[in-house]
Amino acid sequence: MRPKVLLSWSSGKDSAWALHVLRQRGEVEVVGLATTLNEAFGRVAMHGVRAELVCSQAEAAGLPLWTVPLPWPCSNDQYESRMRGLVERARAAGVCGLAFGDLFLADVRAYRERQLAGSGIEPLFPLWGAPADTPALAREMIGAGLRATLACVDPKQLAPQFVGWEFDTRLLAELPPGADPCGENGEFHTFCHAGPMFDRPIPVRVGDTIERDGFCFADLLPGAAPG
């Protein structure tokens, strides 16, 4: 019997690809997608993606969505308290691991490992590598049929007009020198709407662009673009 794990689900391409990789390897059974949702806006924290779209992802992945509601604003203490609640619920359900789509940021990995130390839940990093690996990883994702839209851009690192772009070879060619092709340094965040981890594409269209808290967001809407 394979160990049961949850996957930390941001709605973006890296968590989606982590699901694909875990299923391909077959060493664990992914039993749910764990997502933090802003209670005030009903959107995924940081990415700003509507909860309705994340529910569609979970349905297309054939997995239950484990939501972790976060207050707004949310202090680090409040965040960690809510995450401890997730861990307790996971342990009660026989889950023994929590997987993340992190690629190479050592401080982020160390934080996750500290938070789960002694909890009975093992942190897993199926995509872990080095900065030099991300150009090939980005091309592998695109080549495998993964489709994603840039939902959030940090204008301090990337021009605001990139928000709403598709994560494709054109984007990779247009990224400025020094930008990570997977956006691992926070240059951009995505919403994944198709790929081998889903049994069907998720119709989505790009709405208005919004500037908030120093970031540029594309308001992604359910449904295909008209015409």
Side-chain angles (χ1 to χ4, degrees):
M1 188 172 180
R2 293 178 297 162
K4 295 180 179 180
V5 305
L6 287 178
L7 174 61
S8 178
W9 189 260
S10 68
S11 80
K13 60 178 176 42
D14 297 336
S15 52
W17 192 249
L19 174 59
H20 176 58
V21 168
L22 288 169
R23 283 173 163 172
Q24 278 194 318
R25 291 177 181 170
E27 297 167 354
V28 299
E29 180 189 2
V30 181
V31 296
L33 308 177
T35 300
T36 55
L37 289 177
N38 182 310
E39 286 179 318
F41 304 110
R43 295 175 184 256
V44 177
M46 194 62 250
H47 290 226
V49 171
R50 294 168 182 258
E52 180 180 352
L53 287 171
V54 184
C55 289
S56 295
Q57 288 181 316
E59 290 170 3
L63 291 169
L65 190 66
W66 292 40
T67 58
V68 181
L70 298 178
W72 180 258
C74 182
S75 70
N76 197 54
D77 286 345
Q78 288 173 311
Y79 170 79
E80 292 179 357
S81 174
R82 300 289 175 101
M83 292 304 292
R84 283 194 295 272
L86 172 70
V87 168
E88 290 168 6
R89 179 185 169 194
R91 287 186 62 189
V95 171
C96 61
L98 180 57
F100 300 92
D102 299 309
L103 303 182
F104 61 72
L105 295 178
D107 57 338
V108 173
R109 176 169 178 158
Y111 173 78
R112 302 198 196 285
E113 291 173 337
R114 284 196 306 273
Q115 293 305 305
L116 290 174
S119 69
I121 301 291
E122 179 187 1
L124 305 173
F125 301 90
L127 307 184
W128 191 257
D133 300 328
T134 56
L137 177 61
R139 292 192 296 271
E140 182 183 5
M141 290 178 180
I142 294 165
L146 182 146
R147 299 291 178 264
T149 302
L150 271 63
C152 175
V153 162
D154 179 357
K156 296 184 292 296
Q157 302 189 69
L158 200 61
Q161 58 261 33
F162 280 99
V163 73
W165 276 39
E166 288 299 295
F167 179 74
D168 54 17
T169 53
R170 174 191 170 219
L171 172 74
L172 299 183
E174 294 289 335
L175 287 175
D180 183 75
C182 288
E184 182 68 351
N185 296 309
E187 296 94 337
F188 60 87
H189 300 282
T190 62
F191 171 76
C192 184
H193 52 84
M197 67 294 302
F198 298 137
D199 64 13
R200 59 186 179 274
I202 297 146
V204 64
R205 54 194 172 90
V206 179
D208 295 334
T209 298
I210 303 162
E211 294 185 22
R212 187 177 69 249
D213 301 326
F215 294 89
C216 297
F217 296 87
D219 188 15
L220 302 182
L221 304 169

Coordinates of all heavy atoms in Angstrom, one line a residue, residues 43-136:
R43 N -10.1 33.9 -3.1 CA -9.1 33.7 -4.1 C -7.9 33.1 -3.5 O -7.6 33.2 -2.3 CB -8.7 35.0 -4.8 CG -9.8 35.7 -5.6 CD -9.4 37.0 -6.2 NE -10.5 37.7 -6.9 CZ -10.6 37.8 -8.2 NH1 -9.7 37.2 -9.0 NH2 -11.6 38.4 -8.8
V44 N -7.1 32.4 -4.3 CA -5.9 31.8 -3.9 C -4.9 32.8 -3.5 O -4.7 33.8 -4.2 CB -5.2 30.9 -5.0 CG1 -3.9 30.3 -4.5 CG2 -6.2 29.8 -5.4
A45 N -4.3 32.6 -2.3 CA -3.3 33.6 -1.8 C -2.2 33.7 -2.8 O -1.7 32.8 -3.4 CB -2.7 33.1 -0.5
M46 N -1.7 34.9 -3.0 CA -0.6 35.4 -3.9 C -1.0 35.3 -5.4 O -0.8 36.2 -6.2 CB 0.7 34.6 -3.7 CG 1.9 35.1 -4.4 SD 2.3 36.8 -3.8 CE 1.9 37.8 -5.2
H47 N -1.6 34.2 -5.9 CA -1.9 34.1 -7.3 C -3.1 34.9 -7.7 O -3.3 35.3 -8.8 CB -2.1 32.6 -7.7 CG -0.9 31.8 -7.7 ND1 -0.5 31.0 -8.7 CD2 0.2 31.7 -6.8 CE1 0.6 30.4 -8.4 NE2 1.1 30.8 -7.3
G48 N -4.0 35.1 -6.7 CA -5.3 35.8 -6.9 C -6.3 35.1 -7.8 O -7.2 35.7 -8.4
V49 N -6.2 33.8 -7.9 CA -7.1 33.0 -8.8 C -8.4 32.7 -8.0 O -8.3 32.4 -6.8 CB -6.4 31.7 -9.2 CG1 -7.4 30.8 -9.9 CG2 -5.2 32.0 -10.1
R50 N -9.5 32.8 -8.7 CA -10.8 32.6 -8.1 C -10.9 31.2 -7.6 O -10.5 30.2 -8.3 CB -11.9 32.9 -9.1 CG -12.0 34.4 -9.5 CD -12.9 34.6 -10.7 NE -13.0 36.0 -11.1 CZ -14.0 36.8 -10.9 NH1 -15.0 36.3 -10.2 NH2 -14.0 38.0 -11.3
A51 N -11.6 31.0 -6.5 CA -11.8 29.7 -6.0 C -12.5 28.7 -6.9 O -12.3 27.5 -7.0 CB -12.6 29.8 -4.6
E52 N -13.4 29.3 -7.7 CA -14.2 28.5 -8.7 C -13.3 27.8 -9.7 O -13.5 26.7 -10.0 CB -15.2 29.4 -9.4 CG -16.0 28.7 -10.5 CD -17.0 29.6 -11.2 OE1 -17.1 30.8 -10.8 OE2 -17.6 29.2 -12.2
L53 N -12.2 28.5 -10.1 CA -11.3 27.9 -11.1 C -10.5 26.8 -10.4 O -10.1 25.8 -11.0 CB -10.4 29.0 -11.7 CG -11.1 29.9 -12.7 CD1 -10.1 31.1 -13.0 CD2 -11.5 29.2 -13.9
V54 N -10.1 27.0 -9.1 CA -9.3 26.0 -8.4 C -10.2 24.8 -8.2 O -9.7 23.6 -8.4 CB -8.8 26.5 -7.1 CG1 -7.9 25.5 -6.4 CG2 -8.0 27.8 -7.3
C55 N -11.5 24.9 -8.0 CA -12.4 23.8 -7.9 C -12.4 23.0 -9.2 O -12.4 21.8 -9.2 CB -13.7 24.2 -7.4 SG -13.9 24.8 -5.7
S56 N -12.4 23.7 -10.3 CA -12.4 23.1 -11.6 C -11.1 22.3 -11.8 O -11.2 21.2 -12.4 CB -12.6 24.1 -12.7 OG -13.9 24.8 -12.6
Q57 N -10.0 22.8 -11.4 CA -8.8 22.1 -11.5 C -8.8 20.8 -10.7 O -8.4 19.7 -11.2 CB -7.6 22.9 -10.9 CG -7.2 24.1 -11.8 CD -6.0 24.8 -11.1 OE1 -6.0 25.1 -9.9 NE2 -5.0 25.2 -11.9
A58 N -9.3 20.8 -9.5 CA -9.4 19.6 -8.6 C -10.3 18.6 -9.3 O -10.0 17.4 -9.3 CB -9.9 20.0 -7.2
E59 N -11.4 19.0 -9.9 CA -12.3 18.1 -10.6 C -11.6 17.5 -11.8 O -11.7 16.3 -12.0 CB -13.6 18.8 -11.0 CG -14.5 19.3 -9.9 CD -15.6 20.2 -10.3 OE1 -15.7 20.5 -11.6 OE2 -16.4 20.7 -9.5
A60 N -10.9 18.3 -12.5 CA -10.2 17.8 -13.7 C -9.0 16.8 -13.3 O -8.6 16.0 -14.1 CB -9.6 18.9 -14.5
A61 N -8.5 17.0 -12.1 CA -7.4 16.2 -11.6 C -8.0 14.9 -10.9 O -7.2 14.0 -10.6 CB -6.5 16.9 -10.6
G62 N -9.3 14.9 -10.6 CA -9.9 13.8 -10.0 C -9.5 13.7 -8.5 O -9.5 12.6 -8.0
L63 N -9.3 14.8 -7.9 CA -8.9 14.8 -6.5 C -9.8 15.8 -5.6 O -10.2 16.8 -6.2 CB -7.4 15.2 -6.3 CG -6.4 14.2 -6.9 CD1 -5.1 14.8 -7.0 CD2 -6.4 12.9 -6.0
P64 N -10.0 15.5 -4.4 CA -10.7 16.4 -3.5 C -9.8 17.7 -3.2 O -8.5 17.5 -3.1 CB -10.9 15.7 -2.2 CG -9.9 14.6 -2.2 CD -9.6 14.2 -3.6
L65 N -10.4 18.8 -3.0 CA -9.7 20.0 -2.7 C -9.8 20.2 -1.2 O -10.9 20.3 -0.6 CB -10.3 21.2 -3.4 CG -9.6 22.5 -3.4 CD1 -8.3 22.4 -4.1 CD2 -10.4 23.6 -4.0
W66 N -8.7 20.3 -0.5 CA -8.6 20.6 0.9 C -8.3 22.1 1.1 O -7.2 22.6 0.8 CB -7.5 19.8 1.6 CG -7.7 18.4 1.7 CD1 -8.2 17.5 0.7 CD2 -7.3 17.5 2.8 NE1 -8.2 16.2 1.1 CE2 -7.7 16.2 2.4 CE3 -6.8 17.7 4.0 CZ2 -7.5 15.1 3.2 CZ3 -6.6 16.6 4.9 CH2 -6.9 15.3 4.5
T67 N -9.3 22.9 1.4 CA -9.1 24.4 1.5 C -8.7 24.8 2.9 O -9.1 24.2 3.9 CB -10.4 25.1 1.1 OG1 -11.4 24.7 1.9 CG2 -10.7 24.8 -0.4
V68 N -7.7 25.7 2.9 CA -7.3 26.3 4.2 C -7.6 27.8 4.1 O -6.9 28.6 3.5 CB -5.8 26.1 4.4 CG1 -5.3 26.8 5.7 CG2 -5.4 24.7 4.3
P69 N -8.7 28.2 4.8 CA -9.1 29.7 4.7 C -8.1 30.5 5.5 O -7.8 30.2 6.7 CB -10.5 29.7 5.3 CG -10.6 28.4 6.2 CD -9.7 27.4 5.5
L70 N -7.7 31.6 4.9 CA -6.8 32.6 5.6 C -7.5 33.9 5.8 O -8.2 34.4 4.9 CB -5.5 32.7 4.8 CG -4.6 31.5 4.6 CD1 -3.4 31.9 3.7 CD2 -4.2 30.9 5.9
P71 N -7.3 34.5 7.0 CA -7.9 35.9 7.1 C -7.1 36.9 6.3 O -6.0 36.6 5.8 CB -7.7 36.1 8.6 CG -6.5 35.3 9.0 CD -6.6 34.1 8.1
W72 N -7.8 38.1 6.1 CA -7.1 39.1 5.4 C -7.2 40.4 6.2 O -8.3 40.8 6.5 CB -7.7 39.3 4.0 CG -7.0 40.4 3.3 CD1 -7.5 41.7 3.0 CD2 -5.7 40.4 2.6 NE1 -6.6 42.5 2.4 CE2 -5.5 41.7 2.1 CE3 -4.7 39.4 2.5 CZ2 -4.3 42.0 1.4 CZ3 -3.5 39.7 1.9 CH2 -3.3 41.0 1.3
P73 N -6.1 41.1 6.5 CA -4.7 40.6 6.3 C -4.4 39.4 7.2 O -5.1 39.1 8.2 CB -3.9 41.8 6.7 CG -4.7 42.6 7.7 CD -6.1 42.4 7.2
C74 N -3.3 38.7 6.9 CA -3.0 37.5 7.6 C -1.6 37.6 8.1 O -0.6 37.8 7.3 CB -3.1 36.3 6.6 SG -2.8 34.7 7.4
S75 N -1.4 37.5 9.4 CA -0.1 37.5 10.0 C 0.6 36.1 9.8 O -0.1 35.1 9.5 CB -0.2 37.8 11.5 OG -0.8 36.7 12.2
N76 N 1.9 36.1 10.0 CA 2.6 34.8 9.9 C 2.1 33.8 10.9 O 2.0 32.6 10.7 CB 4.1 35.0 10.0 CG 4.9 33.8 9.5 OD1 4.7 33.4 8.3 ND2 5.8 33.3 10.3
D77 N 1.8 34.3 12.2 CA 1.3 33.5 13.2 C 0.0 32.8 12.8 O -0.3 31.7 13.1 CB 1.2 34.2 14.5 CG 2.5 34.5 15.2 OD1 3.5 33.9 14.8 OD2 2.6 35.4 16.1
Q78 N -0.9 33.7 12.2 CA -2.2 33.2 11.8 C -2.1 32.1 10.7 O -2.7 31.1 10.7 CB -3.1 34.3 11.3 CG -3.6 35.2 12.4 CD -4.3 36.4 11.9 OE1 -3.8 37.1 11.0 NE2 -5.5 36.7 12.4
Y79 N -1.1 32.4 9.8 CA -0.9 31.4 8.7 C -0.4 30.1 9.3 O -0.9 29.0 8.9 CB 0.1 32.0 7.7 CG 0.6 31.0 6.7 CD1 -0.1 30.7 5.6 CD2 1.9 30.3 6.9 CE1 0.3 29.7 4.7 CE2 2.3 29.4 6.0 CZ 1.5 29.1 4.9 OH 2.0 28.2 4.0
E80 N 0.5 30.1 10.2 CA 1.1 28.9 10.7 C 0.0 28.2 11.5 O 0.0 26.9 11.5 CB 2.3 29.2 11.5 CG 3.5 29.7 10.6 CD 4.8 30.0 11.3 OE1 4.8 30.0 12.6 OE2 5.8 30.4 10.7
S81 N -0.8 28.9 12.2 CA -1.9 28.2 13.0 C -2.8 27.5 12.1 O -3.2 26.3 12.4 CB -2.6 29.3 13.8 OG -3.7 28.7 14.5
R82 N -3.2 28.1 11.0 CA -4.2 27.5 10.0 C -3.5 26.3 9.4 O -4.2 25.2 9.2 CB -4.6 28.5 9.0 CG -5.3 29.7 9.5 CD -6.7 29.4 10.0 NE -7.4 30.5 10.6 CZ -8.3 31.2 10.0 NH1 -8.7 30.9 8.8 NH2 -8.9 32.2 10.7
M83 N -2.2 26.4 9.1 CA -1.5 25.2 8.5 C -1.4 24.1 9.5 O -1.4 22.9 9.1 CB -0.1 25.7 8.0 CG -0.2 26.6 6.8 SD -1.2 26.0 5.4 CE -0.1 24.6 4.8
R84 N -1.2 24.4 10.8 CA -1.2 23.3 11.8 C -2.5 22.6 11.8 O -2.6 21.3 12.0 CB -0.9 23.9 13.2 CG 0.6 24.2 13.4 CD 0.9 24.5 14.8 NE 0.3 25.6 15.4 CZ 0.8 26.9 15.3 NH1 1.9 27.1 14.8 NH2 0.1 27.9 15.9
G85 N -3.6 23.3 11.6 CA -4.9 22.7 11.5 C -5.0 21.7 10.3 O -5.5 20.6 10.4
L86 N -4.4 22.1 9.2 CA -4.3 21.2 8.0 C -3.5 19.9 8.3 O -4.0 18.8 8.0 CB -3.7 21.9 6.8 CG -3.4 21.1 5.6 CD1 -4.7 20.7 4.9 CD2 -2.5 21.8 4.6
V87 N -2.4 20.1 9.0 CA -1.6 19.0 9.3 C -2.3 18.0 10.2 O -2.3 16.8 10.1 CB -0.2 19.4 10.0 CG1 0.5 18.3 10.6 CG2 0.6 20.1 9.0
E88 N -3.0 18.5 11.2 CA -3.8 17.7 12.1 C -4.9 16.9 11.4 O -5.1 15.7 11.6 CB -4.4 18.5 13.2 CG -3.4 19.1 14.2 CD -4.0 20.2 15.1 OE1 -5.2 20.4 15.1 OE2 -3.2 20.8 15.9
R89 N -5.6 17.6 10.5 CA -6.6 16.9 9.7 C -6.0 15.9 8.8 O -6.6 14.8 8.6 CB -7.3 18.0 8.8 CG -8.4 17.4 7.9 CD -9.0 18.5 7.0 NE -9.8 17.9 6.0 CZ -10.2 18.6 4.9 NH1 -9.9 19.8 4.7 NH2 -11.0 18.0 4.0
A90 N -4.8 16.2 8.2 CA -4.2 15.2 7.3 C -3.8 13.9 8.1 O -4.0 12.8 7.6 CB -2.9 15.8 6.7
R91 N -3.2 14.1 9.3 CA -2.8 13.0 10.1 C -4.0 12.1 10.5 O -3.9 10.9 10.4 CB -2.0 13.4 11.3 CG -0.6 14.0 11.1 CD 0.1 14.3 12.4 NE 0.2 13.1 13.2 CZ 0.7 13.1 14.5 NH1 1.0 14.2 15.0 NH2 0.8 12.0 15.1
A92 N -5.1 12.7 10.8 CA -6.3 12.0 11.2 C -6.8 11.2 10.0 O -7.5 10.2 10.2 CB -7.4 13.0 11.7
A93 N -6.5 11.6 8.8 CA -7.0 10.9 7.5 C -5.9 9.9 7.0 O -6.1 9.3 6.0 CB -7.3 11.9 6.4
G94 N -4.9 9.7 7.8 CA -3.9 8.7 7.4 C -2.9 9.2 6.4 O -2.1 8.4 5.8
V95 N -2.8 10.5 6.2 CA -1.8 11.1 5.3 C -0.5 11.2 6.0 O -0.4 11.6 7.2 CB -2.3 12.5 4.9 CG1 -1.2 13.2 4.1 CG2 -3.5 12.4 4.0
C96 N 0.6 10.9 5.3 CA 1.9 10.9 6.0 C 2.9 11.8 5.2 O 4.1 11.9 5.6 CB 2.5 9.5 6.1 SG 2.8 8.7 4.5
G97 N 2.5 12.5 4.2 CA 3.4 13.4 3.5 C 2.7 14.6 2.9 O 1.5 14.5 2.6
L98 N 3.4 15.7 2.7 CA 2.9 16.9 2.1 C 3.9 17.3 1.0 O 5.1 17.6 1.3 CB 2.7 18.0 3.1 CG 2.1 19.3 2.6 CD1 0.8 19.2 1.8 CD2 2.0 20.4 3.7
A99 N 3.5 17.3 -0.2 CA 4.4 17.5 -1.4 C 4.3 19.0 -1.8 O 3.2 19.6 -1.7 CB 4.1 16.6 -2.5
F100 N 5.4 19.6 -2.3 CA 5.4 20.9 -2.7 C 6.1 21.0 -4.1 O 6.9 20.2 -4.5 CB 6.3 21.8 -1.7 CG 5.8 21.8 -0.3 CD1 6.2 20.9 0.6 CD2 4.8 22.7 0.1 CE1 5.8 20.9 1.9 CE2 4.4 22.8 1.4 CZ 4.8 21.8 2.3
G101 N 5.7 22.0 -4.9 CA 6.2 22.2 -6.2 C 7.4 23.1 -6.3 O 7.7 23.7 -7.3
D102 N 8.1 23.3 -5.1 CA 9.3 24.2 -5.1 C 10.4 23.6 -6.0 O 10.6 22.4 -6.1 CB 9.8 24.3 -3.7 CG 8.8 24.9 -2.7 OD1 8.2 26.0 -3.1 OD2 8.5 24.3 -1.7
L103 N 11.2 24.6 -6.6 CA 12.2 24.1 -7.6 C 13.6 24.2 -7.0 O 14.4 23.3 -7.2 CB 12.0 25.0 -8.9 CG 10.7 25.0 -9.5 CD1 10.7 25.8 -10.8 CD2 10.2 23.5 -9.8
F104 N 14.0 25.4 -6.4 CA 15.3 25.5 -6.0 C 15.6 26.5 -4.8 O 16.7 26.7 -4.4 CB 16.3 25.8 -7.1 CG 16.0 27.2 -7.8 CD1 16.3 28.4 -7.2 CD2 15.4 27.2 -9.1 CE1 16.0 29.6 -7.9 CE2 15.2 28.4 -9.8 CZ 15.5 29.6 -9.1
L105 N 14.6 27.2 -4.3 CA 14.8 28.2 -3.3 C 15.0 27.5 -1.9 O 14.1 27.0 -1.3 CB 13.6 29.2 -3.2 CG 13.4 30.0 -4.5 CD1 12.2 30.9 -4.3 CD2 14.7 30.9 -4.7
A106 N 16.3 27.5 -1.5 CA 16.7 26.7 -0.3 C 16.0 27.3 0.9 O 15.7 26.5 1.8 CB 18.2 26.7 -0.2
D107 N 15.8 28.6 1.0 CA 15.2 29.1 2.2 C 13.7 28.7 2.4 O 13.2 28.5 3.5 CB 15.4 30.7 2.3 CG 14.8 31.4 1.0 OD1 14.6 30.7 0.0 OD2 14.5 32.6 1.1
V108 N 13.0 28.7 1.2 CA 11.6 28.2 1.2 C 11.5 26.8 1.7 O 10.7 26.4 2.5 CB 11.0 28.4 -0.2 CG1 9.6 27.8 -0.2 CG2 11.0 29.9 -0.5
R109 N 12.4 25.9 1.1 CA 12.4 24.5 1.5 C 12.7 24.4 3.0 O 12.0 23.6 3.7 CB 13.4 23.8 0.7 CG 13.5 22.3 1.1 CD 14.3 21.5 0.1 NE 14.5 20.1 0.6 CZ 14.7 19.0 -0.2 NH1 14.9 19.2 -1.5 NH2 14.8 17.8 0.3
A110 N 13.7 25.1 3.5 CA 14.1 25.0 4.9 C 12.9 25.4 5.8 O 12.7 24.8 6.8 CB 15.3 25.8 5.2
Y111 N 12.2 26.4 5.4 CA 11.0 26.9 6.2 C 10.0 25.8 6.2 O 9.4 25.4 7.3 CB 10.4 28.1 5.6 CG 9.1 28.6 6.2 CD1 9.1 29.2 7.4 CD2 7.9 28.3 5.6 CE1 7.9 29.6 8.0 CE2 6.7 28.7 6.2 CZ 6.7 29.3 7.4 OH 5.5 29.7 8.0
R112 N 9.7 25.2 5.1 CA 8.7 24.1 5.1 C 9.1 22.9 6.0 O 8.3 22.3 6.7 CB 8.4 23.6 3.7 CG 7.9 24.8 2.7 CD 7.3 24.2 1.5 NE 7.1 25.1 0.4 CZ 6.2 26.1 0.3 NH1 5.4 26.3 1.3 NH2 6.2 26.8 -0.8
E113 N 10.4 22.6 5.9 CA 10.9 21.5 6.7 C 10.8 21.8 8.2 O 10.5 20.9 8.9 CB 12.3 21.1 6.2 CG 12.4 20.5 4.8 CD 13.9 20.4 4.3 OE1 14.7 21.1 4.8 OE2 14.1 19.6 3.4
R114 N 11.1 23.0 8.5 CA 11.0 23.4 9.9 C 9.6 23.3 10.4 O 9.3 22.8 11.5 CB 11.5 24.8 10.2 CG 13.0 25.0 10.1 CD 13.4 26.3 10.7 NE 12.8 27.4 10.1 CZ 13.2 28.1 9.1 NH1 14.3 27.6 8.5 NH2 12.6 29.1 8.6
Q115 N 8.6 23.8 9.6 CA 7.2 23.8 10.0 C 6.7 22.4 10.2 O 5.7 22.2 11.0 CB 6.4 24.6 9.0 CG 6.7 26.1 9.0 CD 6.6 26.7 10.4 OE1 5.6 26.6 11.0 NE2 7.7 27.4 10.8
L116 N 7.2 21.4 9.4 CA 6.6 20.1 9.5 C 7.5 19.1 10.4 O 7.1 18.0 10.7 CB 6.6 19.5 8.1 CG 5.5 20.1 7.2 CD1 5.6 19.5 5.8 CD2 4.1 19.8 7.7
A117 N 8.6 19.6 10.9 CA 9.4 18.8 11.8 C 8.7 18.3 13.0 O 8.0 19.1 13.7 CB 10.7 19.6 12.2
G118 N 8.7 17.0 13.2 CA 8.0 16.4 14.4 C 6.5 16.3 14.3 O 5.9 15.9 15.2
S119 N 6.0 16.6 13.1 CA 4.5 16.6 12.9 C 4.0 15.3 12.5 O 2.7 15.0 12.6 CB 4.1 17.7 11.9 OG 4.5 17.2 10.6
G120 N 4.8 14.4 12.1 CA 4.4 13.1 11.5 C 4.1 13.2 10.0 O 3.7 12.2 9.4
I121 N 4.2 14.4 9.5 CA 4.0 14.6 8.0 C 5.3 15.0 7.4 O 6.0 15.9 7.8 CB 3.0 15.8 7.8 CG1 1.6 15.5 8.4 CG2 2.8 16.0 6.3 CD1 0.9 14.4 7.8
E122 N 5.7 14.2 6.4 CA 7.0 14.3 5.7 C 6.9 15.3 4.6 O 6.0 15.2 3.7 CB 7.6 13.0 5.2 CG 8.9 13.1 4.5 CD 9.3 11.8 3.9 OE1 8.6 10.8 4.0 OE2 10.4 11.8 3.2
P123 N 7.8 16.3 4.5 CA 7.8 17.2 3.3 C 8.4 16.5 2.1 O 9.5 15.9 2.2 CB 8.6 18.4 3.8 CG 9.5 17.9 4.8 CD 8.8 16.8 5.5
L124 N 7.8 16.6 0.9 CA 8.3 16.0 -0.3 C 8.5 17.1 -1.3 O 7.7 18.0 -1.5 CB 7.4 15.0 -0.8 CG 7.0 13.8 0.1 CD1 5.9 13.0 -0.5 CD2 8.2 13.0 0.5
F125 N 9.6 17.0 -2.1 CA 9.9 18.0 -3.1 C 10.2 17.3 -4.4 O 11.4 17.2 -4.8 CB 11.1 18.9 -2.7 CG 10.8 19.6 -1.4 CD1 11.2 19.0 -0.1 CD2 10.2 20.9 -1.3 CE1 10.9 19.7 1.1 CE2 10.0 21.5 -0.1 CZ 10.3 20.9 1.1
P126 N 9.2 16.9 -5.2 CA 9.5 16.0 -6.3 C 10.1 16.8 -7.5 O 10.7 16.1 -8.4 CB 8.1 15.6 -6.7 CG 7.1 16.6 -6.1 CD 7.8 17.0 -4.9
L127 N 10.1 18.1 -7.5 CA 10.7 18.8 -8.7 C 12.1 19.5 -8.3 O 12.6 20.2 -9.1 CB 9.8 20.0 -9.1 CG 8.4 19.6 -9.5 CD1 7.6 20.8 -10.0 CD2 8.3 18.4 -10.5
W128 N 12.6 19.2 -7.1 CA 13.7 19.9 -6.6 C 15.0 19.7 -7.5 O 15.3 18.7 -8.0 CB 14.1 19.4 -5.2 CG 15.1 20.3 -4.5 CD1 16.4 20.1 -4.3 CD2 14.8 21.6 -3.9 NE1 17.0 21.1 -3.7 CE2 16.0 22.1 -3.4 CE3 13.6 22.3 -3.8 CZ2 16.1 23.3 -2.8 CZ3 13.7 23.6 -3.2 CH2 15.0 24.1 -2.7
G129 N 15.6 20.9 -7.7 CA 16.8 20.9 -8.5 C 17.7 22.1 -8.3 O 17.8 22.6 -7.2
A130 N 18.2 22.7 -9.4 CA 19.0 23.9 -9.3 C 18.5 24.9 -10.3 O 17.8 24.6 -11.2 CB 20.5 23.5 -9.6
P131 N 18.9 26.2 -10.1 CA 18.5 27.2 -11.1 C 18.8 26.9 -12.6 O 18.1 27.2 -13.5 CB 19.3 28.5 -10.7 CG 19.5 28.3 -9.2 CD 19.7 26.8 -9.0
A132 N 19.9 26.1 -12.8 CA 20.3 25.8 -14.1 C 19.3 24.8 -14.8 O 19.4 24.6 -16.0 CB 21.7 25.2 -14.1
D133 N 18.5 24.2 -13.9 CA 17.6 23.1 -14.5 C 16.3 23.7 -15.0 O 15.6 23.0 -15.8 CB 17.2 22.2 -13.3 CG 18.4 21.4 -12.8 OD1 19.3 21.2 -13.5 OD2 18.3 21.1 -11.5
T134 N 15.9 25.0 -14.7 CA 14.6 25.5 -15.0 C 14.4 25.7 -16.5 O 13.2 25.6 -16.9 CB 14.2 26.7 -14.2 OG1 15.2 27.7 -14.3 CG2 14.1 26.3 -12.7
P135 N 15.4 26.1 -17.3 CA 15.1 26.3 -18.7 C 14.6 25.0 -19.4 O 13.6 25.0 -20.1 CB 16.4 26.7 -19.3 CG 17.1 27.4 -18.2 CD 16.7 26.6 -17.0
A136 N 15.3 23.9 -19.0 CA 14.8 22.6 -19.6 C 13.5 22.2 -19.0 O 12.7 21.6 -19.7 CB 15.9 21.5 -19.3

